């Protein structure tokens, strides 16, 4: 099954009011184990100071538009001290790890209005022992408020530290 971004708007079909909507979406998609917890945040680039609504999405990763550094959703490189991981779908398919042959820039995710720069929210589902067990990633178009659940509760498979 191919990954397809399904775009929606905020509550009751109205444009999203802000980052709270995308945070609620990813927090609701992440499933914690009994005794675990879910933490959600809006991504910001600590290297160049780009704002929270300045990310492009390609190859299953989110890139800061200021410094082109990937957030690293697919390989667990979300912060310097994170252990590497891979993701397995928990129902919904994952975004492609790399564009296939004949890739065109128009193949990158765009909101329904055609915008390609997003606010990115990430929710991590932690086990009771603090290990990351799942991840959800949402995109919000800052221009029109469209929302997309880009990674839907993917299962985290830990790698070697």
């Amino acid at each position: 099954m191919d990954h397809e971004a399904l775009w929606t708007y905020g509550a009751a079909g109205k444009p999203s009011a802000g980052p709270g909507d995308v945070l609620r979406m990813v927090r609701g998609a992440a499933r914690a184990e009994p005794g675990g917890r879910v933490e959600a945040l809006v991504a910001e680039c600590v290297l160049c100071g780009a704002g929270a609504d300045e990310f492009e999405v390609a190859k299953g990763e989110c890139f800061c538009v200021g410094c082109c550094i990937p957030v690293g959703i697919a390989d667990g490189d979300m912060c310097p001290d994170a252990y590497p991981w891979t993701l397995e779908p928990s129902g919904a398919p994952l975004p492609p790890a790399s564009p296939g042959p004949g890739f065109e820039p128009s193949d990158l995710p765009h909101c329904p209005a055609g915008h390609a720069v997003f606010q990115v929210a990430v929710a991590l589902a932690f086990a009771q022992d603090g290990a990351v067990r799942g991840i959800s990633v949402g995109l919000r178009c800052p221009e029109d408020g469209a929302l997309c659940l880009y990674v839907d509760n993917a299962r985290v498979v830990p790698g070697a530290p």
Side-chain angles (χ1 to χ4, degrees):
M1 178 181 223
D2 291 332
H3 179 271
E4 182 178 338
L6 299 174
W7 291 91
T8 61
Y9 291 90
K14 300 205 174 172
S16 172
D21 288 317
V22 72
L23 281 170
R24 279 187 291 281
M25 180 178 61
V26 295
R27 189 176 288 119
R31 301 284 181 252
E33 296 175 355
R37 70 187 193 288
V38 172
E39 293 183 16
L41 56 90
V42 173
E44 292 186 18
C45 185
V46 296
L47 296 176
C48 75
D53 57 355
E54 299 183 41
F55 289 88
E56 293 177 319
V57 179
K59 298 183 181 183
E61 295 185 318
C62 300
F63 293 84
C64 167
V65 297
C67 62
C68 295
I69 301 295
V71 173
I73 296 162
D75 62 7
D77 191 24
M78 292 179 57
C79 59
D81 58 354
Y83 290 118
W85 61 52
T86 57
L87 301 181
E88 292 181 353
S90 295
L94 295 173
S98 63
F103 169 76
E104 297 290 329
S106 61
D107 293 335
L108 298 175
H110 291 79
C111 77
H115 304 118
V117 176
F118 305 103
Q119 177 182 65
V120 176
V122 179
L124 298 175
F126 292 92
Q128 190 170 8
D129 65 2
V132 177
R133 297 281 196 250
I135 186 171
S136 294
V137 178
L139 307 178
R140 178 184 174 273
C141 176
E143 299 293 323
D144 59 23
L147 301 173
C148 170
L149 189 57
Y150 189 61
V151 175
D152 186 1
N153 193 41
R155 192 169 78 88
V156 171
V157 179

